[in-house]
Amino acid sequence: MIDMDAETFEALVGDVFDALPDNMVDGLENVAIVIEDRPEDGSLDLLGLYHGVALTHRDQYGFGELPDVISVYREPLLTIVEDEAELREQVHVTLVHEIAHFYGIDDDELHSLGWG
């Protein structure tokens, strides 16, 4: 477990997001990345969550739609790492996992790809 204030954590998540491959993030339209301390239930079990409708399940989507949201949970992530390098790796995995849900990749497929 490491200690990191919310502002520093948010900057780290931004750095990790900015380093993701262009072909992964270029299609993210109308998606907000939100940093929260914990999930709604207060648990430390969930590292991130995609809130929205995957591209593969959209019939019509257009102007005026509220953005989809990818939540990244600070406290759960901080509890599972030993240092900042490990935190960066876990944030990377979490972002890739949640972005994959945006593209319609489910947990089973993510596990088979090694991102579960």
Side-chain angles (χ1 to χ4, degrees), residues 1-114:
M1 178 176 182
I2 65 171
D3 187 38
M4 181 179 287
D5 65 62
E7 185 176 316
T8 305
F9 183 84
E10 185 171 339
L12 182 143
V13 172
D15 290 346
V16 172
F17 181 83
D18 289 345
L20 292 173
D22 289 343
N23 63 352
M24 181 181 294
V25 297
D26 283 349
L28 292 177
E29 294 182 20
N30 205 29
V31 178
I33 308 292
V34 177
I35 311 302
E36 299 180 56
D37 286 336
R38 290 186 183 204
E40 278 186 29
D41 68 3
S43 75
L44 293 173
D45 298 331
L46 192 61
L47 306 180
L49 186 65
Y50 169 67
H51 313 267
V53 178
L55 288 180
T56 55
H57 292 100
R58 294 183 183 176
D59 290 328
Q60 294 182 356
Y61 193 82
F63 182 76
E65 298 288 338
L66 291 174
D68 291 357
V69 175
I70 293 174
S71 295
V72 177
Y73 301 118
R74 183 176 67 92
E75 291 176 9
L77 281 158
L78 294 176
T79 61
I80 65 165
V81 299
E82 298 295 323
D83 57 36
E84 187 175 317
E86 191 178 355
L87 176 61
R88 285 180 177 277
E89 178 61 25
Q90 286 298 322
V91 168
H92 174 87
V93 169
T94 300
L95 286 172
V96 168
H97 185 105
E98 302 313 329
I99 290 168
H101 287 317
F102 168 81
Y103 287 116
I105 300 172
D106 65 18
D107 282 333
D108 290 337
E109 189 172 353
L110 280 169
H111 282 285
S112 72
L113 297 170

